[in-house]
Amino acid sequence: MIRAVSVVFAAAALLFSPVAMAWGEYGHHTVASVAWENVRPQTRIAVRQLLKAEKGLATPGCRVRSIEEAGYWPDCIRSQSWRFAYTFPWHYQTEPVCKAYDVKANCANGNCVTGQIERSRKVLADKSLPAAERLQALAFLVHFTGDLHMPLHSGDNYDLGGNQVKATYGEAPVWNLHSLWDGQQAERSISSAQPPLVRRYSAQERAALAGGTLADWGRESWDLARRVYTRAFGRSPCDGKAPEKIVWTNEMIAEFVPEGQRRISQAGLRLADLLDEALAPR
């Protein structure tokens, strides 16, 4: 019964949006936690103050009591499509991996992940706006920064970010390639990290992992997506039709663990910089 309900829920989620949720709750919480460990003290104070405006969001079923809950809120509110369906295209900006990456494509009127990161940053920084509006912007900024670092939210193969590629992980059905990267791949990357991903990073680590522009971040994810497709298909995704189903093995999981760890760390550290810029500028 539980499995049947899960399948129905997954199918319903795909009806509401062309791309499924990125990184899953665990992944988004981890991105937020990495950022929290690396922001300035003034930024923490400002975030805690904004969290007091949670009731203004009027989403009692989707709480925002911490930066981690804020990071998952934009996925949680998908259950209220009648109210928030306009936000669903904001989670992604996919470009086919067999074409050149173009950060300006698929973003009409800012309705894409890079456009909404920039908008959310500006709203969050504007202290003249109501606290609840800025808290919503905080949630979007935390979440969408994570989304942009998930490869299948920037690159696809005309298959809705891997949602139409049937996949299994060993004997376990995971529905599609996208959900596999949301779940098993992200979870293994986080749980196996040594040292843990959630920690205070050194200045040298931040210099190596953070920085860059939104276009750079999207292009990095797009390039990783091309490698994911190549590994999943056993050949270039540009050479003919996709397989009817792919099997993502333990060996593939292990192979891409470092990539997953890097993307989640980068998302958290870059998010920390965005939050500092908006809430505690020097």
Side-chain angles (χ1 to χ4, degrees):
M1 180 64 179
I2 293 174
R3 180 181 175 186
V5 171
S6 298
V7 170
V8 170
F9 177 82
L14 288 178
L15 288 176
F16 293 139
S17 174
V19 177
M21 298 176 285
W23 294 129
E25 187 170 4
Y26 187 28
H28 278 296
H29 282 182
T30 304
V31 169
S33 294
V34 170
W36 189 249
E37 291 296 321
N38 290 277
V39 294
R40 298 173 191 148
Q42 304 96 304
T43 300
R44 289 191 180 193
I45 293 171
V47 169
R48 289 191 180 107
Q49 189 63 34
L50 286 174
L51 291 172
K52 296 178 182 179
E54 182 202 15
K55 286 186 178 179
L57 299 176
T59 56
C62 297
R63 302 298 306 273
V64 183
R65 295 163 293 187
S66 66
I67 194 171
E68 288 82 7
E69 287 188 342
Y72 188 64
W73 184 82
D75 275 348
C76 182
I77 61 173
R78 285 172 179 261
S79 61
Q80 301 181 43
S81 60
W82 60 272
R83 183 179 173 193
F84 293 108
Y86 69 94
T87 70
F88 294 173
W90 297 355
H91 292 250
Y92 59 92
Q93 189 178 1
T94 51
E95 275 287 285
V97 294
C98 294
K99 293 174 58 177
Y101 177 76
D102 181 2
V103 71
K104 296 181 180 180
N106 300 322
C107 195
N109 301 314
N111 286 303
C112 71
V113 68
T114 57
Q116 290 304 312
I117 288 174
E118 181 58 24
R119 185 195 70 84
S120 299
R121 183 192 63 78
K122 290 179 180 178
V123 172
L124 179 61
D126 190 342
K127 295 182 180 179
S128 71
L129 296 174
E133 184 175 351
R134 294 178 68 214
L135 177 58
Q136 185 182 87
L138 170 70
F140 283 136
L141 183 62
V142 176
H143 185 88
F144 294 150
T145 302
D147 278 352
L148 184 56
H149 285 77
M150 197 279 201
L152 297 178
H153 274 236
S154 287
D156 75 353
N157 191 40
Y158 302 100
D159 54 18
L160 306 183
N163 276 297
Q164 294 178 334
V165 179
K166 294 180 181 179
T168 61
Y169 167 51
E171 297 299 319
V174 294
W175 299 306
N176 58 64
L177 183 61
H178 191 108
S179 63
L180 191 152
W181 263 82
D182 286 353
Q184 285 87 343
Q185 188 67 57
E187 291 165 6
R188 182 79 69 85
S189 296
I190 296 166
S191 63
S192 65
Q194 291 297 330
L197 299 184
V198 180
R199 57 187 166 82
R200 184 78 179 179
Y201 286 69
S202 68
Q204 292 81 2
E205 289 175 311
R206 293 187 72 152
L209 292 168
T213 65
L214 295 180
D216 294 329
W217 306 351
R219 187 177 293 106
E220 291 165 358
S221 287
W222 175 86
D223 184 67
L224 177 54
R226 183 167 54 182
R227 285 181 275 142
V228 169
Y229 277 104
T230 298
R231 191 68 172 93
F233 291 3
R235 56 168 173 77
S236 169
C238 310
D239 295 340
K241 292 179 61 176
E244 287 191 10
K245 183 175 72 174
I246 65 103
V247 176
W248 199 257
T249 65
N250 267 318
E251 290 75 17
M252 293 176 179
I253 287 272
E255 178 182 336
F256 281 91
V257 157
E259 299 278 14
Q261 292 171 346
R262 180 177 180 83
R263 294 310 281 162
I264 291 170
S265 294
Q266 286 180 313
L269 293 174
R270 288 163 169 172
L271 172 61
D273 289 339
L274 290 172
L275 294 175
D276 284 343
E277 178 186 353
L279 296 173
R282 292 189 186 280

